[in-house]
Amino acid sequence: MKTLGDEDYLRGYAAKALVNFKTNHLSKALENALSSEDNFSKRKAIQTIGYYSLEPHVLEKLSRIATTDSIEEVRIDATEAKEKFALKIELLDHCSAIGAAQPLTDNESRELFLVGEAFKVAAEAGHIFRPTANSDWGIDGEIEFKNERGEANGQRVYLQLKSGDSYLRTRKRDGKEIFVIKNPRHAEYWQSHAYPVLLVIRDSSGQIRWMNVTEYLQRQGTDVRQIEFQGEPFTAESVKQMRARFA
């Protein structure tokens, strides 16, 4: 016979109960727990509510807790949670704006997924990703870096995002990966920026890599129409290192 002391039984029972919970009920329960007098319950609610809620007023509650709660650990959790929640809402708004304009093609869906990955990676690194409203000029977004106090410092890098295997081909004579600059004005535009432009490519396996194309064009000249892509993994750790390299 199972008892309450059987941890495996309790975990299984809790998992089954959670599956049967309606998301809106769970979201409401977590929102109520944000006002709990029990700090353990409050912190758990703060850490998880972003997975279940899309309500803008939850962001307001998290912001208030982050600045007014008397417990430092609670304020720290709320600060991190509100930043992630704000990015989630911003991404959903961006997706809705694109989706409302016209149905997404497969290629647009892949590009949009990469935008989401850029949000995620930048947030994990402690910095800010912002998509651009119009990418016709070869810039899809930017990452603005924060200083040691967590404040945006104005330093940034720009991103050109590409998703799919068709953007890179393997050159037969040396096996190098080649990215073709289809629009010549992009190379000139990338060179004109005060901050570096990074080419970020996601392949069908899910691997995401980046390369500093500004640096490459400075060496090769703006007349070049092909880039020998030598990508580094696009991860939170690499974004952290970017601040030291570019900011």
Side-chain angles (χ1 to χ4, degrees), residues 126-158:
H127 302 299
I128 306 164
F129 173 76
R130 300 186 187 93
T132 58
N134 190 332
S135 60
D136 286 348
W137 283 88
I139 299 293
D140 298 297
E142 66 177 29
I143 294 176
E144 183 175 4
F145 299 110
K146 294 182 181 180
N147 59 27
E148 290 75 8
R149 297 185 299 277
E151 302 165 337
N153 64 9
Q155 302 295 313
R156 68 199 67 212
V157 292
Y158 296 105

Side-chain angles (χ1 to χ4, degrees), residues 1-11 13:
M1 179 178 177
K2 301 294 184 182
T3 68
L4 291 179
D6 190 323
E7 291 187 7
D8 290 336
Y9 169 71
L10 285 177
R11 288 195 187 99
Y13 188 83

Side-chain angles (χ1 to χ4, degrees), residues 48-71:
T48 56
I49 193 169
Y51 294 104
Y52 301 101
S53 177
L54 296 173
E55 298 296 331
H57 69 266
V58 170
L59 180 59
E60 297 175 7
K61 288 189 175 183
L62 290 172
S63 299
R64 186 165 59 252
I65 294 171
T67 56
T68 64
D69 198 274
S70 60
I71 306 300

Side-chain angles (χ1 to χ4, degrees), residues 9-68:
Y9 169 71
L10 285 177
R11 288 195 187 99
Y13 188 83
K16 290 179 181 178
L18 189 59
V19 168
N20 291 326
F21 244 96
K22 291 185 180 295
T23 301
N24 60 330
H25 293 166
L26 183 56
S27 174
K28 186 62 178 177
L30 289 170
E31 186 178 339
N32 291 337
L34 294 178
S35 304
S36 174
E37 295 296 325
D38 180 76
N39 287 326
F40 178 81
S41 299
K42 179 186 286 188
R43 291 184 67 187
K44 288 300 180 184
I46 289 170
Q47 293 164 7
T48 56
I49 193 169
Y51 294 104
Y52 301 101
S53 177
L54 296 173
E55 298 296 331
H57 69 266
V58 170
L59 180 59
E60 297 175 7
K61 288 189 175 183
L62 290 172
S63 299
R64 186 165 59 252
I65 294 171
T67 56
T68 64

Side-chain angles (χ1 to χ4, degrees), residues 168-178 209 228-230:
L168 293 176
R169 64 174 179 84
T170 301
R171 192 162 57 193
K172 291 183 179 180
R173 72 169 186 266
D174 54 15
K176 291 184 177 180
E177 292 181 297
I178 303 299
R209 294 176 294 159
E228 293 181 3
F229 188 73
Q230 299 172 334

